[in-house]
């Protein structure tokens, strides 16, 4: 927010300045000026503002000449200066050459100012050499820190020589005022010729040997309305001769000024008399050139010759050994890059990093990088250009990367063919994470990664999978669930390459700590059993994912998930013959760990449930006074239910009374056997839960016992009646005798079961004493029953 407020205040203050400078100037309709950065032109009258074109947002520079700066001179002088300046801008707009400043919008005049727009400009050569008139105060840090390197001077002078060759041979034009104020350095560091205020057009442009009209310096005219005397050739000032050698002399003085802090060898201070005296001195004594670079001393000495014929022309100047430098050749090659085919370009780009190692970072950033970006419009050349762009990035600050390189890289990030393009981005991802802002990482780099996962290239896929974990903190929850994980899972299932599948599992394992627990349970754990391969490397990758999930603090995996989802998948793998012994040990240890976890958790749960049931049983005992089991049944009720459901049902015999009475006599001796039965009864639930018994409810009657007692009484009564022979025979005829024998056998077997504990059912094995108590209790509660007739008994026995 502070940066935004600072930027807003800067723009506001700049616009307030421009509101007084450009009121009503037509340039402001199409261009927006943002910041005053430098000055240029004769007397440094032109203020240079950075800005942009409103319709296209294209960067530009706006040159502004405030008429109020000329108020201290007479009206005639003001008009003369304005007339000369307007002529220079008009001539500049007609010239189109790489070494001539490019005009984007022609000169516009208003009541207060003159203005026109050009390509983006950094400053003038005079500003770099320390001339700061009409520059912003305080001077910007970028301008203060700008130092000319050897490569700057070499290539800059070479560009000026090429520009003069164009003017002299193609445009048939003499500049006539080449000086540091009229050399502009653009944002890429290229030197451009400016200030055609005093240029001279050839009389016979068609002639191979053109001639130019004579010119005379006028003492009564303001110095700013005439060429600068310090850079004016002797033959032009004294003899009024206009030839190409005039500009070559000016170039020699400019070279000397570059090494002399912007000062000419002989300074006249705009005084004609001083200028003439200096020329006489130069005629006999050549200026000392010890401060000039050794490679330029001889050429400069020739350029400063008093005789024009001794000076080299522009072509000879360009051929001097000083320009035979690998850096100069590289920059020159980049400027003419569009003339070469793809094969030549690719060979050049392969060797470019070794050249950039020898060049200053500013040259690589401002001079080489723009040329590289221009060639990225051809997708075939991007794999050769991109490594050089990243080489420049390695020495960039974060601000330089954001302002100069990132805008160039964003369009390239969307290029996925050829596959070498995303592969280079993946290799340099660490550098991008270091320099790119967070917003750009999310908006541009993450989508590039998602798209790269879908490319059918093993090296690209493997590199992308290894890079993704380093960006996991930037991936938001919805993107992780809907964009990233589905692509990794799809790649893992569809690929036929083992190493890619293992890389997918490794990537998932590294992403676990960034995932939500429910995302792991819903997406990761169900996904692992779907992997078709049973290769040992894949199994180890799966085990690694499981190990991370189980050991992570926030990933609490329940015993249900282990028992139902994980163990059924891992246990069959334990018999894979392809595993080595160490791999098997790892697998079986994880399986045992899960089983132990399931066992521990479930035992603890069962113990807790048993404790809860026991507490419920104790509370019911206190309420009802009956020993109640956890299932809601009393011991007494269970026992009676078991007796009622006994498979032995007997009716009508005297022997059953004897058996029961014998059991009754043995009840005291078998009390010790009743304890195991009660224990068994407590441990085993024989019947489902029923409603709690009420103490006031009547005891259910045992109808079988009632029938047996009734039959026994009836039989005793019939024996006392002494039946007749016919009745007995009738009984025999009805099979009563056989029935009695059969009944007697059954009763004897029943007696044996009651007496012999080895032949008793398990549930009755230890309950002999309870039988007597039960029969006594039932006899006491048995109501009076109507006696049966002999025919009823026979029917019953049959």
């Amino acid at each position: 927010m502070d940066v935004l407020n600072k930027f807003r205040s800067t723009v506001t203050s700049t616009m307030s300045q421009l509101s007084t400078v450009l009121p009503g100037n037509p340039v402001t309709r199409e261009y927006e000026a943002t910041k005053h950065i430098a000055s240029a032109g004769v007397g440094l009258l032109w203020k240079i503002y950075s800005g942009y074109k409103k319709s296209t947002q294209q960067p530009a520079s706006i040159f502004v000449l405030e008429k109020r700066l000329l108020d201290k001179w007479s009206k005639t002088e003001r008009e003369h200066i304005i007339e000369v300046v307007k002529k220079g801008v008009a001539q500049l707009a007609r010239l189109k050459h790489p070494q001539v400043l490019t005009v984007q919008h022609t000169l516009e005049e208003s009541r207060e100012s003159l203005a026109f727009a050009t390509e983006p400009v950094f400053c003038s050569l005079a500003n770099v050499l320390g001339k700061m008139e009409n520059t912003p105060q305080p001077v910007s840090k970028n301008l203060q820190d700008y130092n000319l390197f050897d490569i700057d001077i070499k290539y800059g002078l070479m560009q000026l020589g090429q520009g003069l060759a164009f003017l002299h041979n193609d445009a048939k034009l003499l500049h006539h005022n080449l000086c540091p104020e009229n050399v502009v350095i653009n944002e890429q560091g290229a030197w451009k010729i400016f200030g055609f205020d005093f240029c001279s057009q050839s009389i016979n442009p068609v002639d191979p040997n053109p001639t130019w009209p004579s010119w005379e310096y006028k003492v009564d005219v303001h110095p700013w309305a005439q060429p600068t005397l310090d850079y004016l050739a002797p033959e032009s000032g004294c003899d009024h001769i206009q030839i190409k050698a005039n500009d070559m002399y000016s170039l020699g003085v400019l070279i000397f000024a570059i090494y002399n802090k912007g000062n000419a060898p002989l300074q006249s201070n705009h005084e004609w008399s001083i200028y003439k005296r200096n020329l006489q001195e130069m005629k006999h004594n050549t200026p000392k050139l010890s401060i000039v670079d050794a490679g330029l001393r001889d050429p400069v000495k020739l350029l400063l010759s008093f005789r024009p014929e001794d000076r080299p022309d522009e072509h000879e100047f360009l051929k001097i050994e000083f320009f035979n430098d690998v850096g100069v050749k590289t920059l020159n090659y980049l400027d003419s890059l569009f003339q070469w085919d793809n094969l030549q370009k690719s060979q050049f780009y392969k060797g470019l990093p070794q050249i950039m190692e020898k060049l200053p970072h500013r040259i690589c950033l401002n001079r080489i990088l723009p040329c590289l970006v221009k060639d990225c419009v051809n997708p075939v050349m991007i794999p050769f250009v991109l490594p050089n762009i990243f080489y420049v990035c390695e020495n960039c600050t974060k601000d330089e990367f954001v302002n100069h390189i990132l805008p160039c890289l964003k369009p390239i990030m969307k290029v996925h063919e050829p596959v070498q393009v995303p592969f280079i981005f993946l290799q340099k991802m660490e550098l991008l994470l270091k320099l790119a802002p967070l917003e750009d990482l999310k908006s541009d780099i993450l989508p590039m990664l998602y798209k790269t996962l879908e490319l059918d290239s093993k090296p690209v896929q493997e590199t992308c999978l290894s890079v993704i974990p380093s960006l996991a903190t930037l991936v938001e929850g919805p993107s992780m669930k809907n964009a990233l994980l589905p692509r990794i899972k799809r790649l893992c299932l569809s690929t036929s390459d083992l190493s890619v599948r293992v890389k997918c599992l490794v990537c998932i394992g590294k992403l676990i700590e960034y995932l939500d627990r429910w995302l792991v349970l819903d997406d990761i754990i169900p996904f692992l059993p779907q992997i078709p391969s049973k290769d040992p490397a894949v199994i180890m990758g799966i085990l690694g994912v499981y190990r991370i999930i189980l050991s992570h603090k926030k990933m609490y995996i329940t015993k249900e998930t282990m028992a139902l989802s994980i163990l059924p998948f891992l246990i069959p793998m334990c018999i894979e013959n392809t595993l080595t012994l160490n791999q098997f040990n790892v697998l079986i240890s994880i399986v045992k760990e899960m089983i132990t976890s399931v066992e521990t958790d479930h035992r603890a749960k069962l113990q807790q449930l048993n404790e809860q049931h026991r507490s419920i049983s104790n509370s019911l005992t206190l309420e009802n006074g009956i020993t109640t089991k956890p299932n809601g049944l009393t011991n007494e009720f269970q026992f009676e239910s078991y007796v009622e459901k006994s498979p032995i049902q007997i009716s009508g015999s005297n022997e059953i009374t004897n058996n029961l009475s014998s059991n009754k006599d043995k009840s005291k001796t078998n009390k010790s056997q009743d304890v195991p039965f009660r224990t068994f009864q407590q441990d085993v639930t024989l019947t489902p839960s029923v409603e709690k018994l009420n103490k006031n409810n009547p005891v259910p009657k045992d109808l079988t016992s009632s029938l047996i007692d009734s039959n026994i009484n009836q039989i005793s009564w019939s024996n006392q009646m002494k039946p007749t022979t016919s009745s007995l025979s009738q009984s025999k005829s009805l099979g009563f005798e056989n029935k009695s024998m059969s009944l007697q056998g059954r009763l004897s077997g029943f007696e044996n079961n009651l007496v012999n504990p080895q032949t008793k059912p398990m549930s009755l094995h230890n309950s002999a004493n309870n039988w007597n108590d039960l029969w006594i209790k039932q006899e006491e509660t048995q109501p009076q029953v109507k006696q049966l007739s002999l025919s009823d008994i026979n029917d019953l026995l049959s």
Side-chain angles (χ1 to χ4, degrees), residues 606-708:
L606 292 178
Q607 289 177 351
Q608 184 180 6
L609 291 175
N610 288 336
E611 292 176 359
Q612 293 177 356
H613 291 166
R614 189 176 293 110
S615 62
I616 293 174
S617 175
N618 293 337
S619 62
L620 292 176
T621 302
L622 294 175
E623 292 178 3
N624 302 331
I626 302 174
T627 303
T628 306
K629 300 307 293 178
N631 57 7
L633 299 177
T634 62
N635 292 340
E636 183 178 2
F637 179 77
Q638 288 181 343
F639 182 76
E640 290 177 356
S641 300
Y642 184 85
V643 172
E644 290 177 359
K645 295 179 181 180
S646 176
I648 304 176
Q649 296 183 0
I650 309 170
S651 59
S653 176
N654 289 329
E655 295 177 2
I656 193 170
T657 304
N658 298 329
N659 290 333
L660 294 175
S661 62
S662 65
N663 289 335
K664 185 176 180 180
D665 295 335
K666 296 178 182 179
S667 61
K668 295 180 180 180
T669 60
N670 293 334
K671 286 182 178 180
S672 61
Q673 299 178 3
D674 187 47
V675 176
F677 175 77
R678 292 177 181 175
T679 304
F680 173 79
Q681 186 180 10
Q682 292 177 356
D683 292 339
V684 180
T685 302
L686 299 178
T687 58
S689 301
V690 296
E691 296 181 358
K692 183 173 68 176
L693 297 176
N694 194 328
K695 294 181 180 181
N696 298 327
N697 291 340
V699 179
K701 296 180 180 181
D702 191 345
L703 298 180
T704 303
S705 302
S706 301
L707 288 175
I708 293 175

Side-chain angles (χ1 to χ4, degrees), residues 693-754:
L693 297 176
N694 194 328
K695 294 181 180 181
N696 298 327
N697 291 340
V699 179
K701 296 180 180 181
D702 191 345
L703 298 180
T704 303
S705 302
S706 301
L707 288 175
I708 293 175
D709 292 341
S710 176
N711 291 338
I712 292 173
N713 293 333
Q714 190 67 28
I715 292 172
S716 301
W717 175 79
S718 63
N719 288 334
Q720 293 176 2
M721 291 295 295
K722 296 180 181 180
T724 59
T725 304
S726 60
S727 299
L728 291 173
S729 60
Q730 185 178 2
S731 300
K732 291 179 179 180
S733 63
L734 294 174
F736 179 78
E737 181 177 0
N738 295 332
K739 297 290 184 179
S740 298
M741 293 177 63
S742 175
L743 178 61
Q744 184 177 4
R746 293 180 183 177
L747 291 176
S748 63
F750 181 72
E751 180 180 2
N752 293 333
N753 289 333
L754 294 176

Side-chain angles (χ1 to χ4, degrees), residues 437-578:
L438 182 62
E439 297 78 10
D440 296 288
L441 289 173
K442 292 182 178 180
S443 61
D444 296 283
I445 296 179
L446 287 179
M448 181 196 67
L449 286 180
Y450 301 155
K451 184 65 177 178
T452 303
L453 281 174
E454 300 175 352
L455 299 178
D456 188 16
S457 173
K458 175 185 173 182
V460 174
Q461 292 171 347
E462 290 183 346
T463 308
C464 185
L465 290 170
S466 63
V467 164
I468 286 175
S470 61
L471 293 166
T473 54
L474 306 177
V475 184
E476 298 177 351
S479 298
M480 180 71 75
K481 181 177 181 180
N482 301 320
L484 182 57
L485 280 181
R487 285 178 167 85
I488 298 177
K489 290 161 57 179
R490 190 182 309 117
L491 177 60
C492 186
L493 295 176
S494 62
T495 184
S496 58
D497 190 272
L498 178 61
S499 61
V500 174
R501 183 166 287 156
V502 173
K503 284 281 187 180
C504 290
L505 293 171
V506 173
C507 180
I508 291 175
K510 293 181 179 180
L511 291 177
I512 293 297
E513 62 177 314
Y514 304 102
L515 303 182
D516 184 77
R517 177 175 179 265
W518 297 110
L519 187 58
V520 173
L521 293 176
D522 296 340
D523 285 0
I524 303 301
I525 292 180
F527 156 71
L528 295 176
Q530 300 174 7
I531 300 176
S533 175
K534 300 300 180 184
D535 190 272
V538 176
I539 295 176
M540 289 300 102
I542 295 173
L543 291 178
V545 176
Y546 280 136
R547 172 66 70 186
I548 294 174
I549 294 175
L550 294 174
S551 61
H552 204 282
K553 295 181 180 180
K554 70 176 182 179
M555 301 297 172
Y556 172 69
I557 306 301
T558 62
K559 60 179 176 34
E560 290 81 8
T561 303
M562 294 184 192
L564 299 177
S565 300
I566 303 179
L567 287 174
F569 169 58
L570 289 182
I571 290 177
M573 290 185 180
C574 295
I575 59 174
E576 286 289 336
N577 296 328
T578 56

Side-chain angles (χ1 to χ4, degrees), residues 19 104 162 379 460 600:
S19 62
Q104 294 183 358
Q162 293 172 348
V460 174
T600 303

